[in-house]
C-alpha cells in the first residue's frame, strides 16, 4: 500500500486536487515516462519534425475498452487499449506515434490492479514504439461503472503516397490473414469462468504495426488491411465487400482455427468467423504479390501461420460467400449484434 | 421511435454488427456529418495542408466526461465533451481542428436522449469550428455504467512561434479571468435536485478558442492560459505557481462571483474559488498588455465581465495568497479532492 495514495481509488482521486495529482504522479507518469507527458500542460505538444513532408497526412482514431474480465490469458484491458488504437492506425498504413489514455475508474478499485494494467500499457506502447503523451482520470461512485474503462485515442502519420482503402480492392485480389482466428474471443469467454471451460487459449492481442510494415515492403500494391476485432473476420470482409461493391469468396478449409477455439465454438454453438480478435490482420493484395506478402509475414512475430483464405470476386456486390468443407456455399452475413458483449 | 434502431440502446448496438452500423448511421454520422468521418475506415485521415509549415507542432489532448446529471442548465455531457477538449487545445495557443468521440452507453439508455446529446455535440463543434472525425461506441449491461460516459480527444496545430507555458510567468505579470467564476459547479449542483435549490444559474460551458484568439492578438506577450475546470480557479493558480516556482497574489474583492453562486456557496459551505468552470479562462499577461487584453475580451462573447484579479509575485515559491475583503491574507491551497464529484 502506498502511503501517498492508499490501497484503493477514492472519489477524491478524480477530483482535480492533490489526491489526483498524487495518483497521476505515482501511477501514470512513471509508467508512461516521456518528456512530452512530463510537461503537464493541458495538451501534449508534438513535433512532427521530419514527418512533416509536403503532402503528409495525419491518422487519428479512438477506441473505448470495457472488456470483462479486465485481465485474461494473453492480455488485459491496458494491453487491449494500446494495441487496439495502434492497430487502427497501422492498418491504414500510418505510422502510429502518439496515444492518449483516459480512464474512468469505479470507486474502490485496487491500486495494485491499476498498477498492473498501467504496466501492461507501458509494455505494449514500448513494443509498438508509441508514446502515451496525454491523459485524463475520472472516478465515479461504487456501482456507477464496472471497475475500469479505458479510452485511448491515437495519432499517426501517413506518407503522402500511401492510400490503403477498402474501395481499392479488385476482383482477383487475394485475401490474407496472419494466423489462426478467434483466439481473443474464445480466451476471454473462457476467462469469464461461467462456462467452466479449461483451455490453454490465450488472446492474440498484439500490436500489428510490425506486420503492416513487413506487408507494405513486400507487397507495395496492397489494397487495404483491417484488424478483425468486434464482429470478427466476417465483419471485416463484409465491410470491404460493401465499401468496394464487390464480392468476397473464402474457403472454409483454408481458414486457420486452433482446435481449442473450434472446440469452444462447437460447445457453445458459435462460429469462429465472428469471434473477436485483437491481433488478426486481414489484408487484400494483388494476386501476384500474395506469395511475397505471406513470406514476409511468416518471418515476423505473429505471422508464422499466415495464409491466403480466399479472393475478391466480381460479385454479387457486397456478398461474402464461403465454400464449406462439404463443397457447398453459404453466405457469411453481418450479424445483428455480437456473440459476446464486452469482448473488448 | 426509429424502426431501424428501436427506442433504447441494447447490447447488440455495441456488438460490431448490423445493429451498431445502424446506430452509427442513424445517430452519429448525420449529426457529425463531414467527409472525413464519412470515409468509415478504421482511422480518420487528416490533411494538414497549409498548416504544415516548417516548425509547426501538433497539440493533442483527451478528457473523459462522467457528469451527473447528463443534462443541466446551460449544457449537457455532449456540450461539455466538445468544449472541454476544444478548450484544452485552445488554452495552449493551438488552433483546435479535429475531435474524436468514444461513448460508453448503459443498456436501456433512451435514443431520444442520446440524439439530444449528440445534437448538442454537433452544435458545440460548429461553434468552435472543429470537426468530429472518428468515434467508437461501446454498450455495457444495465448497472455496469451510469447512463452515458463520453471521452473526446482532440488534435490541433500550434504555429511555430507560439510557446505559452506556466513556466513563462514572471513577477509583476497580471492574472486575468474572462468573467464570473463557479457558474458550472453551482449550476450542476443545483440541477442534481437533492438540494432543493431554486436558482436561475446556468453553466458557463462554452468553447474558449474565440477568446484565446482575441487574447493572443491583443496581448502577444501572453505568458500562459488555462481553463479552470475541476478544482476551479484555485487549482489553476496553484498549478501555475508550482510550475513557475513563483507566487500568486489575488484580491478577493476583484474576483467576479455571481450573487446566486455566492448564495449557493454560503448555504453549502463551499468556496467559489474551488468550484469547477467550463468556460472560464485564466490568463497571465505582462502588466503593460493587461488593459489591451481585457479590452479585447470584453468585446467577445463570454468576455463582457473580464477583469484582473491579481498578479504574479516573487514568492514564496508555489504559494497562492488571497487578500481578503477584510484586509487579511490567506493561503489558497490545493484541495485534496473536489467539493463535488462527477462535475464534468
Amino acid at each position: 500500500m502506498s502511503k501517498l495514495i492508499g490501497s484503493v481509488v477514492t472519489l477524491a482521486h478524480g477530483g482535480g486536487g492533490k489526491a489526483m495529482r498524487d495518483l497521476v504522479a505515482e501511477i501514470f507518469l512513471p509508467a508512461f515516462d516521456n518528456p512530452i507527458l512530463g510537461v503537464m500542460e493541458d495538451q501534449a505538444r508534438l513535433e512532427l519534425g521530419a514527418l512533416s513532408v509536403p503532402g503528409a497526412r495525419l491518422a487519428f482514431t479512438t477506441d473505448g475498452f470495457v472488456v470483462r474480465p479486465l485481465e485474461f490469458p494473453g492480455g488485459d484491458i491496458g494491453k487491449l487499449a494500446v494495441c487496439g488504437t495502434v492497430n487502427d492506425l497501422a492498418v491504414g498504413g500510418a505510422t502510429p506515434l502518439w496515444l492518449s489514455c483516459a480512464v474512468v475508474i469505479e470507486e474502490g478499485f485496487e491500486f495494485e490492479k491499476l498498477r498492473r494494467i498501467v504496466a501492461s500499457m507501458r509494455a505494449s506502447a514500448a513494443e509498438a514504439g508509441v508514446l502515451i503523451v496525454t491523459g485524463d482520470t475520472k472516478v465515479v461512485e461504487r456501482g456507477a461503472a464496472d471497475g475500469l474503462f479505458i479510452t485511448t485515442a491515437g495519432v499517426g502519420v501517413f506518407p503522402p503516397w500511401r492510400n490503403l482503402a477498402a474501395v481499392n480492392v479488385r476482383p482477383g485480389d487475394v485475401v490474407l490473414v496472419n494466423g489462426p482466428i478467434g483466439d481473443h474471443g474464445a480466451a476471454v469467454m473462457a476467462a469469464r469462468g461461467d462456462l467452466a471451460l479449461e483451455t490453454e487459449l490465450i488472446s492474440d492481442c498484439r500490436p500489428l504495426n510490425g506486420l503492416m510494415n513487413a506487408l507494405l515492403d513486400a507487397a507495395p500494391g496492397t489494397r487495404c488491411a483491417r484488424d478483425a476485432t468486434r464482429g470478427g473476420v466476417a465483419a471485416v470482409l463484409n465491410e470491404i465487400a460493401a465499401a468496394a461493391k464487390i464480392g468476397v469468396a473464402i474457403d472454409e478449409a483454408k481458414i486457420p482455427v486452433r482446435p481449442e477455439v473450434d472446440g469452444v465454438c462447437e460447445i457453445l454453438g458459435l462460429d469462429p468467423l465472428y469471434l473477436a480478435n485483437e491481433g488478426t490482420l486481414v489484408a487484400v493484395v494483388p494476386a501476384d504479390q500474395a506469395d511475397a506478402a505471406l513470406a514476409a509475414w511468416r518471418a515476423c512475430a505473429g505471422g508464422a501461420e499466415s495464409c491466403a483464405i480466399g479472393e475478391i470476386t466480381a460479385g454479387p456486390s457486397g456478398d461474402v460467400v464461403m465454400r464449406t468443407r462439404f463443397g457447398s456455399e453459404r453466405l457469411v452475413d453481418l450479424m445483428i449484434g455480437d456473440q459476446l458483449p464486452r469482448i473488448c
Side-chain angles (χ1 to χ4, degrees), chain A:
Chain A
M1 181 177 133
S2 155
K3 262 192 200 165
L4 199 56
I5 57 175
S7 62
V8 298
V9 176
T10 66
L11 286 172
H13 288 113
K18 279 181 191 169
M20 190 172 81
R21 191 189 57 190
D22 292 343
L23 180 154
V24 170
E26 186 147 328
I27 304 275
F28 292 106
L29 291 183
F32 300 159
D33 181 38
N34 65 69
I36 301 169
L37 184 64
V39 169
M40 294 296 284
E41 290 286 337
D42 286 343
Q43 70 299 122
R45 298 167 182 202
L46 312 172
E47 305 277 349
L48 278 169
L51 294 162
S52 179
V53 291
R57 289 154 302 149
L58 296 179
F60 182 31
T61 192
T62 191
D63 251 331
F65 296 86
V66 297
V67 69
R68 187 172 56 83
L70 293 173
E71 298 175 300
F72 48 82
D76 58 32
I77 190 172
K79 185 177 182 186
L80 270 186
V82 170
C83 294
T85 288
V86 162
N87 293 348
D88 278 347
L89 296 171
V91 298
T95 302
L97 295 170
W98 302 292
L99 260 54
S100 66
C101 166
V103 296
V104 174
I105 313 176
E106 184 186 7
E107 183 187 13
F109 196 77
E110 288 171 19
F111 272 117
E112 201 183 308
K113 199 167 192 178
L114 186 61
R115 267 182 221 281
R116 285 201 304 274
I117 288 167
V118 169
S120 165
M121 295 188 80
R122 175 205 184 104
S124 300
E127 186 184 350
V130 296
L131 297 177
I132 299 172
V133 294
T134 186
D136 183 57
T137 305
K138 293 290 188 299
V139 180
V140 298
E141 320 85 285
R142 259 175 227 277
D146 189 10
L148 174 67
F149 301 143
I150 302 180
T151 298
T152 46
V155 174
V157 176
F158 292 108
W161 59 85
R162 183 135 310 145
N163 181 29
L164 304 184
V167 294
N168 297 342
V169 309
R170 295 285 173 269
D173 289 349
V174 177
V175 180
L176 312 177
V177 296
N178 66 314
I181 68 172
D183 290 4
H184 177 73
V188 170
M189 192 156 20
R192 287 202 184 154
D194 17 70
L195 302 172
L197 289 171
E198 290 274 338
T199 75
E200 303 282 302
L201 277 171
I202 62 168
S203 166
D204 63 341
C205 183
R206 71 158 56 80
L208 291 170
N209 46 343
L211 280 162
M212 275 304 297
N213 290 339
L215 174 69
L216 294 168
D217 281 348
T222 296
R223 314 290 194 192
C224 75
R226 298 277 176 116
D227 60 329
T229 55
R230 272 183 296 179
V233 170
V236 160
L237 296 179
N238 270 280
E239 284 169 23
I240 293 171
K245 300 185 173 61
I246 46 71
V248 178
I250 54 175
D251 282 294
E252 188 173 19
K254 292 183 183 168
I255 299 167
V257 183
R258 291 186 205 285
E260 301 95 307
V261 173
D262 250 343
V264 167
C265 283
E266 221 158 282
I267 293 169
L268 301 174
L270 302 176
D271 183 337
L273 270 180
Y274 293 90
L275 283 184
N277 311 277
E278 291 292 340
T280 294
L281 196 50
V282 175
V284 181
V285 301
D288 62 358
Q289 298 183 17
D291 288 342
L294 288 173
W297 272 3
R298 285 174 188 148
C300 293
E305 297 169 76
S306 301
C307 59
I309 62 166
E311 64 281 328
I312 305 301
T313 67
S317 165
D319 277 7
V320 178
V321 172
M322 183 163 77
R323 291 176 289 256
T324 69
R325 289 177 198 278
F326 310 108
S328 61
E329 288 198 338
R330 75 169 175 87
L331 198 65
V332 179
D333 205 357
L334 203 57
M335 285 203 156
I336 299 294
D338 205 338
Q339 302 181 119
L340 205 62
R342 297 186 59 189
I343 199 69
C344 63

